[in-house]
Amino acid sequence: MCRDLATEVEKLLLQPSAYVRKKAVLTAVHMIRKVPELSDIFLPPCAQLLHDDHHGILLGTTTLITELCERSPAALKHFRKMVPQLVHILRTLVTTGYSKEHSISGVSDPFLQVQILRLLRILGRNHEESSETMNDLLAQVATNTDTSRNAGNAVLFETVLTIMDIRSAAGLRVLAVNILGRFLLNTDRNIRYVALTSLLRLVQSDHSAVQRHRPTVVECLWEPDGSLSRRALELSLALVNSSNVQAMTQELQGFLESCPPDLQADCASGILLAAERFAPTKRWHIDTTLRVLTTAGTHVRDDAVANLTQLIGGAQELHAYSVRRLYSALAEDISQQPLVQVATWCIGEYGDLLLEGSCEETEPLQVEEEEVLALLERVLQSHMSLPATRGYALTALVKLSTRLRGDNNRIRQVVSIYRSCLDVELQQRAVEYNTLFRKYDHMRAAILEKIPLVERGGSQVDEEAKESKETAQLSEAAPVPTEPQASKLLDLLDLLDGPSGDAQHPPPLDPTPGGALIHLLNLPCAPPPPAPIPNLKVFEREGLQLDLSFVRPPGTPTLLLITVTATNTSGGDVTHFICQAAVPKSFQLQLQAPSGDTVPAQGGLPMTQLLRILNPKKAPLRLKLRLTYNHFGQSVQEIFEVNNLPVEAWQ
């Protein structure tokens, strides 16, 4: 019906009656939404309709042009010539005095102003000339619009969105940020929420301008409305940098102590990530992490325990300070399981420093051996302790047997009790430790030495240099890489629990006659360079895209290097991004550390991660990926299998 009547509607667009013209324009809008290929029919009349004085026709025509531009690149190019006309119409609306017919709360036809601003945003996006034409007008609208009424706020907000999307001048973008800053002081919660959301979008491109409103953003953390608090928390974490990390962390820690339970996990994880990224000193980093674990230990991420133990182990000058701080925290509260795990690990490793004289950096603390053992026994017996926490405590007790000077009978008795524990892991530890006491006591001191520090890459550049160096070494020597702990944990998931022995081996290639002749003549023959392996797109959702690129080192044909690249073209950052992989048991998988855990919005710097797969049998490769991330305030988990890997990746 739309196709049959389109030409009739086109004729009615230019009828003398304003009422008929307005209805014809609205009909054309619905037709374009139903049948986008009818766009060419309605292009010519739009230019003439923009010269109409009737506000209803202007509003309908602007909406029609917007629909045409969103659906047709040719229409977008055509209507960019009309930007001066649209600018003239909007300037007339802004500068015209009070009109009873069109004024709403003192603002001249805000509906038409908003619709024109939306159209200008589409026409000026990624177009320098159109953006320059509307820059002065946008500044005029931003400075002359009345902000005491909601209608004026609507026009101002649409102006800000237009300034953000087009190629506007730097001063104009600062003006837009200042408008949003004034919105934060508004009494209407909806306006404050809109301002926080918009500033969160701007923080990547105009960080310094948004930074000026940091005190106001921090005040919004204590809003009683949960949606406002969450948005303010996300923006506060995005504003943390090396110059304000101490002040911002102090504010966020104060908020963590009184924030709602549903925000504690995000707040705690955000503080830990900011401290790890911008910590001025190791001691400050340790103190910050300890305070977070003490306040909201049960809400932190799973890797918080490993990161803190790594940090303490690498700060040799702070071992005595750390063990005393952790012992005091553990004596006060044993309910926060991550804190208990770190504390028991630290006491087991550095218990001798705890019993020595006073530490210069802490208050004098006199601790007896019996008190330390009694505290660890209390952790073992507590109903709040998880099985993993009991494992930490039992190991700490055994390690203290080589660090304490007293009799070890009490430790042996505790270990013997847990030989009949219902938890298999704890029972196995107790049996092995008991055997260590009885049969291998002469080796106990050497076995229970302090754990050596595991080196970690400090930056993405160092990590990439290390990876390239390892790849070169593998190309020369071609050793079989060992499977790391992360790979073993992923194999335990049994994500690919299918048989891998029935995979067909590729048939050997028959030598060509030319190759045989060269071989007989004993002539040197350089092997042809391997053909490049095509990239593969394996995932796409709401602007987040995951691509795989493949490299096989020439000297190691059984080794495949897969680079996982995550890009984000949406309007919101993808945070807490974790990519895990699993392969069949006939393969060996090693996951390198990713370049980060945030994929910036609007096509920012992509996140990369390297997978090293050893395929000794050259079997067809199957890969299973698990993605977990936060996007637009929602937690997302995706599990999918990749079976269409290029043949060149495994043959």
Side-chain angles (χ1 to χ4, degrees):
M1 186 176 69
C2 289
R3 290 187 180 94
D4 293 340
L5 297 178
T7 54
E8 299 298 326
V9 175
E10 179 195 5
K11 295 175 184 177
L12 295 173
L13 286 172
L14 302 177
Q15 283 290 315
S17 171
Y19 182 78
V20 174
R21 292 201 305 273
K22 183 176 74 170
K23 291 297 182 182
V25 170
L26 295 177
T27 306
V29 171
H30 289 285
M31 282 184 167
I32 292 299
R33 289 172 179 170
K34 289 283 186 182
V35 192
E37 54 265 29
L38 296 176
S39 299
D40 295 339
I41 297 177
F42 299 110
L43 284 179
C46 289
Q48 188 172 347
L49 289 170
L50 280 179
H51 293 278
D52 205 302
D53 294 332
H54 193 283
H55 280 222
I57 295 175
L58 285 176
L59 181 60
T61 304
T62 309
T63 307
L64 177 59
I65 296 175
T66 303
E67 296 290 338
L68 291 170
C69 292
E70 288 179 342
R71 285 163 173 76
S72 171
L76 179 63
K77 185 177 180 181
H78 173 77
F79 286 114
R80 275 182 174 147
K81 302 173 185 176
M82 299 183 184
V83 169
Q85 175 67 18
L86 292 167
V87 168
H88 174 72
I89 295 172
L90 184 56
R91 180 174 282 114
T92 303
L93 287 172
V94 174
T95 57
T96 301
Y98 176 76
S99 172
K100 182 178 180 181
E101 184 180 356
H102 304 118
S103 179
I104 298 178
S105 301
V107 180
S108 179
D109 202 344
F111 297 101
L112 181 56
Q113 289 194 46
V114 166
Q115 196 62 39
I116 293 176
L117 286 167
R118 288 177 182 171
L119 179 55
L120 290 176
R121 180 160 73 247
I122 296 173
L123 296 174
R125 188 178 297 148
N126 299 323
H127 196 260
E128 191 73 35
E129 184 180 352
S130 299
S131 300
E132 289 180 0
T133 305
M134 59 185 79
N135 269 343
D136 292 340
L137 170 69
L138 293 174
Q140 188 176 4
V141 174
T143 53
N144 292 346
T145 303
D146 182 18
T147 59
S148 61
R149 303 286 181 165
N150 209 37
N153 289 327
V155 174
L156 272 180
F157 177 63
E158 208 65 41
T159 306
V160 169
L161 294 182
T162 304
I163 292 171
M164 288 161 53
D165 274 10
I166 69 171
R167 296 185 176 180
S168 53
L172 201 57
R173 299 182 73 87
V174 173
L175 177 61
V177 174
N178 291 338
I179 291 173
L180 294 176
R182 292 203 303 270
F183 279 179
L184 289 177
L185 302 175
N186 200 294
T187 55
D188 192 329
R189 292 180 179 176
N190 293 322
I191 294 178
R192 293 204 298 274
Y193 181 84
V194 164
L196 289 170
T197 305
S198 304
L199 287 171
L200 192 58
R201 287 179 53 196
L202 272 174
V203 74
Q204 298 294 335
S205 56
D206 297 275
H207 191 275
S208 58
V210 181
Q211 194 72 243
R212 298 190 187 100
H213 303 280
R214 181 164 52 90
T216 311
V217 173
V218 172
E219 289 179 6
C220 293
L221 286 171
W222 281 269
E223 286 283 351
D225 188 291
S227 301
L228 281 173
S229 296
R230 183 174 294 278
R231 275 288 179 266
L233 175 61
E234 294 173 358
L235 183 54
S236 298
L237 292 173
L239 289 175
V240 178
N241 57 27
S242 56
S243 60
N244 63 20
V245 61
Q246 296 187 17
M248 284 295 293
T249 302
Q250 188 173 359
E251 295 281 357
L252 291 169
Q253 285 176 339
F255 173 68
L256 180 63
E257 295 175 357
S258 59
C259 72
D262 58 328
L263 292 181
Q264 283 188 334
D266 292 338
C267 186
S269 298
I271 294 174
L272 293 182
L273 287 173
E276 186 174 355
R277 187 176 178 186
F278 302 112
T281 62
K282 287 185 177 181
R283 176 173 175 175
W284 181 89
H285 191 179
I286 292 173
D287 288 342
T288 302
T289 308
L290 284 181
R291 185 173 173 184
V292 172
L293 291 181
T294 305
T295 306
T298 56
H299 298 281
V300 299
R301 300 189 315 171
D302 294 339
D303 59 351
V305 175
N307 289 341
L308 183 54
T309 54
Q310 174 75 25
L311 176 64
I312 294 173
Q316 186 174 0
E317 68 280 4
L318 296 174
H319 285 172
Y321 171 76
S322 302
V323 72
R324 289 171 179 272
R325 285 289 311 275
L326 283 165
Y327 176 82
S328 300
L330 184 62
E332 292 179 5
D333 183 15
I334 62 171
S335 63
Q336 304 285 358
Q337 294 303 292
L339 175 67
V340 177
Q341 292 174 9
V342 176
T344 51
W345 176 87
C346 198
I347 291 172
E349 291 296 315
Y350 313 116
D352 51 338
L353 301 177
L354 181 62
L355 300 175
E356 288 179 359
S358 61
C359 175
E360 296 179 359
E361 299 178 343
T362 60
E363 297 180 359
L365 181 65
Q366 297 297 327
V367 181
E368 300 294 334
E369 294 183 5
E370 295 297 324
E371 296 175 355
V372 178
L373 297 179
L375 181 58
L376 292 177
E377 288 181 24
R378 187 155 65 94
V379 172
L380 281 169
Q381 297 167 5
S382 173
H383 68 280
M384 294 182 290
S385 296
L386 298 173
T389 307
R390 290 192 174 96
Y392 275 94
L394 193 63
T395 303
L397 274 173
V398 175
K399 288 209 166 192
L400 285 177
S401 67
T402 64
R403 288 145 173 75
L404 302 182
R405 295 179 294 273
D407 191 9
N408 292 326
N409 287 331
R410 183 173 179 177
I411 297 176
R412 292 185 182 185
Q413 291 174 2
V414 174
V415 171
S416 298
I417 292 172
Y418 285 90
R419 286 187 303 169
S420 58
C421 180
L422 294 178
D423 184 81
V424 177
E425 170 68 22
L426 204 58
Q427 181 189 103
Q428 181 178 346
R429 290 193 186 204
V431 170
E432 292 172 353
Y433 294 156
N434 189 65
T435 305
L436 191 63
F437 275 114
R438 290 189 298 104
K439 293 185 178 181
Y440 305 100
D441 197 59
H442 60 287
M443 301 171 57
R444 181 164 50 85
I447 292 175
L448 300 177
E449 285 183 353
K450 295 179 180 178
I451 296 177
L453 177 66
V454 180
E455 296 294 335
R456 290 176 62 186
S459 64
Q460 180 181 352
V461 177
D462 296 340
E463 192 71 30
E464 292 176 354
K466 183 179 178 183
E467 289 172 5
S468 61
K469 183 178 178 181
E470 290 177 354
T471 305
Q473 292 175 350
L474 282 169
S475 301
E476 296 174 2
V480 178
T482 58
E483 189 173 2
Q485 184 178 1
S487 173
K488 293 178 182 177
L489 290 174
L490 289 174
D491 281 341
L492 289 176
L493 297 174
D494 272 339
L495 295 178
L496 291 170
D497 199 16
S500 58
D502 57 351
Q504 297 295 325
H505 295 271
L509 298 176
D510 296 330
T512 61
L517 180 61
I518 292 174
H519 182 68
L520 288 172
L521 294 176
N522 199 19
L523 294 176
C525 177
I533 305 174
N535 295 346
L536 183 64
K537 182 170 75 171
V538 296
F539 177 78
E540 186 172 11
R541 173 176 171 176
E542 295 180 347
L544 176 65
Q545 179 174 320
L546 208 68
D547 297 297
L548 304 182
S549 57
F550 309 90
V551 175
R552 294 180 68 181
T556 315
T558 59
L559 179 65
L560 175 65
L561 304 178
I562 302 179
T563 302
V564 181
T565 305
T567 55
N568 180 14
T569 58
S570 69
D573 290 350
V574 174
T575 59
H576 302 97
F577 183 86
I578 299 174
C579 176
Q580 296 174 306
V583 294
K585 297 184 185 299
S586 60
F587 298 81
Q588 290 186 351
L589 171 67
Q590 183 178 4
L591 279 80
Q592 300 288 351
S595 61
D597 68 343
T598 299
V599 189
Q602 306 293 342
L605 188 67
M607 196 274 314
T608 59
Q609 185 172 9
L610 182 67
L611 312 181
R612 305 158 64 94
I613 299 177
L614 192 69
N615 185 6
K617 299 181 181 180
K618 292 190 176 180
L621 178 58
R622 293 180 298 154
L623 186 67
K624 197 153 192 177
L625 298 177
R626 177 165 65 183
L627 309 179
T628 56
Y629 58 89
N630 291 337
H631 198 195
F632 295 120
Q634 295 182 350
S635 180
V636 182
Q637 178 171 327
E638 293 282 350
I639 299 177
F640 55 92
E641 189 168 346
V642 183
N643 291 323
N644 57 339
L645 293 171
V647 179
E648 299 88 347
W650 51 269
Q651 273 192 354

